[in-house]
Amino acid sequence: MRDMKKIFLLLFLLVFGAAVLAACAKEETEQNSEGEPEEKKLTIGMSFDSFVIERWQRDRDIFVQAAKEMGAEVNVQNANGEAEEQKKQIEYFIEKKVDVIVIVCIDSDGLTEPIKKAKEAGIPVVAYDRLINNADIDLYISFDNEMVGTLMAQSLIDNGVRGGRVIMLGGSPSDNNVSLVENAFEAVMKQNRVTIVDRMHCDGWRAELAADYIYSHREQVMDCDAIMCGNDNLASQVVNALAVQRLAGKRLVTGQDADLEACQRIVEGTQIMTVYKPVEKLARRAAECAVALAEGRKVQDSDTGSIDNGMKEVPYVRLEPVPVNRENLDEIIIDSGFHTKEEVYLNIK
Ligand code: BGC
């Protein structure tokens, strides 16, 4: 009898123990599916030159949103135009073990070392909008900058500058895009016997330097037909300075980015053209590519070519820029929703 009791007790303990274990296991699986996220999210480290220029805020917002839709999160850093700060940000991303680094570089020739470290840590690197030279980058994604220069030049020729005189006020000499735009611009000027009266670069894309130029070079300004400005922000300062001298609308001014104020100047007649770069396309495509690289996939499709950055042939996703002038502005800028009609025609009664 005593033995029977023992057996019952043992059986009871076994069954009870098994039930407790099963309950615990169930609780654990439930916790996994309800509690902590199943997998670690992909992290993208993105370093911007600065957000002074209108377009970069759009680039950031669309990139972050697109990445989010693909399940990745973006750690955005702003280097405020400081090349050294940008290097530190890359090092910080390496320490944080992000899955991919995306850079809008300040100094196209100055990132060889930090990128080498990123690659040693197994982190792919994307050059966003501006090529990074002599560095082991995995991808360059940008608008065709040579075409930007050609479009600016062609619009001057179409507006009667053949055989005339032009001043070139370019952007930062350490931005690789600047030489691409300018070389293409000058090629068209040469074909059309246009004289480059004078030229200057605005370090760090500082637009006040372009205004200073106009104030301090009256002779050259009086002597030219057109002023090629490297972007709309430079054009903005140039047109203000021309206005002070009662010359706004009397010199043809170019730009790029389709900033709102540039579009307003185009309809008001103080800027002849801008180059629209559909940033939405660039930012979305770049986010897709960054996620692909982070997941170890290659980025290669019909629109991927390659470009030599001094170290290697880099896969290059090239998007097309579009010239915008008084004739096509409504269609290109307003119909696409880039700016609204009310905003663009704000000062036109
Ligand atoms: C970009 C322009 C921009 C400029 C200043 C260039 O690299 O191509 O769109 O206006 O930088 O930020």
Side-chain angles (χ1 to χ4, degrees):
M1 194 61 191
R2 273 181 69 196
D3 278 347
M4 281 296 274
K5 254 189 182 172
K6 265 190 191 163
I7 289 169
F8 269 128
L9 192 63
L10 205 67
L11 271 177
F12 173 76
L13 282 176
L14 273 175
V15 171
F16 182 73
V20 168
L21 276 178
C24 287
K26 184 161 182 273
E27 203 170 278
E28 210 163 86
T29 39
E30 275 171 3
Q31 249 180 20
N32 270 351
S33 57
E34 283 170 19
E36 293 159 25
E38 293 280 286
E39 277 174 54
K40 188 184 156 280
K41 264 194 180 177
L42 277 185
T43 311
I44 304 172
M46 189 167 194
S47 169
F48 279 86
D49 169 350
S50 87
F51 293 111
V52 173
I53 312 258
E54 188 178 300
R55 66 159 285 192
W56 298 117
Q57 297 170 27
R58 216 186 262 258
D59 286 84
R60 175 198 57 202
D61 294 348
I62 297 169
F63 186 97
V64 169
Q65 179 58 33
K68 198 172 162 198
E69 286 162 17
M70 287 178 271
E73 62 187 26
V74 191
N75 181 335
V76 176
Q77 300 285 321
N78 173 5
N80 274 317
E82 299 287 339
E84 284 308 310
E85 179 58 27
Q86 185 156 61
K87 286 186 194 165
K88 286 190 202 143
Q89 292 176 353
I90 297 169
E91 309 250 346
Y92 162 79
F93 288 146
I94 300 171
E95 259 169 51
K96 283 251 157 200
K97 297 190 169 47
V98 298
D99 299 293
V100 53
I101 299 177
V102 180
I103 306 168
V104 180
C105 72
I106 297 168
D107 181 359
S108 293
D109 295 314
L111 291 179
T112 308
E113 277 311 307
I115 289 176
K116 188 165 173 247
K117 286 188 197 155
K119 295 312 292 292
E120 280 163 5
I123 304 173
V125 177
V126 176
Y128 184 98
D129 196 77
R130 301 174 178 166
L131 184 60
I132 303 172
N133 292 317
N134 299 310
D136 185 13
I137 52 176
D138 296 273
L139 184 76
Y140 167 51
I141 176 162
S142 184
F143 293 97
D144 183 336
N145 285 284
E146 288 173 327
M147 192 186 271
V148 171
T150 306
L151 294 173
M152 286 180 179
Q154 200 51 55
S155 120
L156 293 185
I157 301 304
D158 294 347
N159 281 280
V161 177
R162 180 169 292 122
R165 301 169 71 74
V166 170
I167 295 174
M168 290 174 69
L169 300 182
S172 166
S174 65
D175 175 344
N176 192 70
N177 289 348
V178 171
S179 56
L180 294 175
V181 170
E182 291 183 355
N183 291 343
F185 178 88
E186 284 187 82
V188 180
M189 294 296 110
K190 202 167 167 203
Q191 282 156 19
N192 290 279
R193 303 176 324 279
V194 176
T195 307
I196 306 299
V197 179
D198 199 5
R199 59 190 306 157
M200 192 200 69
H201 284 119
C202 299
D203 280 337
W205 284 99
R206 281 169 49 218
E208 65 274 20
L209 299 177
D212 290 349
Y213 178 93
I214 301 297
Y215 288 122
S216 57
H217 291 76
R218 181 145 176 100
E219 200 182 307
Q220 287 86 339
V221 172
M222 292 312 292
D223 187 34
C224 76
D225 305 296
I227 304 171
M228 179 274 208
C229 295
N231 74 358
D232 288 339
N233 199 38
L234 303 187
S236 186
Q237 294 288 324
V238 163
V239 170
N240 286 345
L242 287 174
V244 171
Q245 305 178 37
R246 298 185 188 284
L247 290 172
K250 298 190 176 140
R251 297 291 176 276
L252 302 179
V253 172
T254 71
Q256 66 164 317
D257 290 345
D259 281 358
L260 175 58
E261 283 186 23
C263 294
Q264 292 171 339
R265 286 191 296 272
I266 291 174
V267 298
E268 289 158 20
T270 53
Q271 182 169 331
I272 195 75
M273 64 89 69
T274 183
V275 180
Y276 168 58
K277 305 199 288 191
V279 162
E280 165 126 23
K281 271 195 200 161
L282 178 74
R284 287 199 164 272
R285 184 87 175 87
E288 281 166 18
C289 294
V291 168
L293 288 168
E295 288 173 345
R297 289 184 280 127
K298 278 224 170 332
V299 176
Q300 203 77 46
D301 61 22
S302 52
D303 46 286
T304 322
S306 74
I307 190 165
D308 185 353
N309 78 340
M311 178 183 277
K312 63 190 249 195
E313 280 292 318
V314 180
Y316 171 21
V317 176
R318 175 172 43 193
L319 305 178
E320 255 194 42
V322 183
V324 174
N325 52 41
R326 186 68 198 85
E327 280 68 55
N328 68 359
L329 189 140
D330 286 11
E331 184 197 332
I332 307 286
I333 298 298
I334 295 172
D335 294 354
S336 69
F338 197 68
H339 297 305
T340 67
K341 189 164 192 149
E342 291 67 36
E343 289 168 334
V344 171
Y345 288 88
L346 186 71
N347 306 317
I348 309 258
K349 294 286 166 242

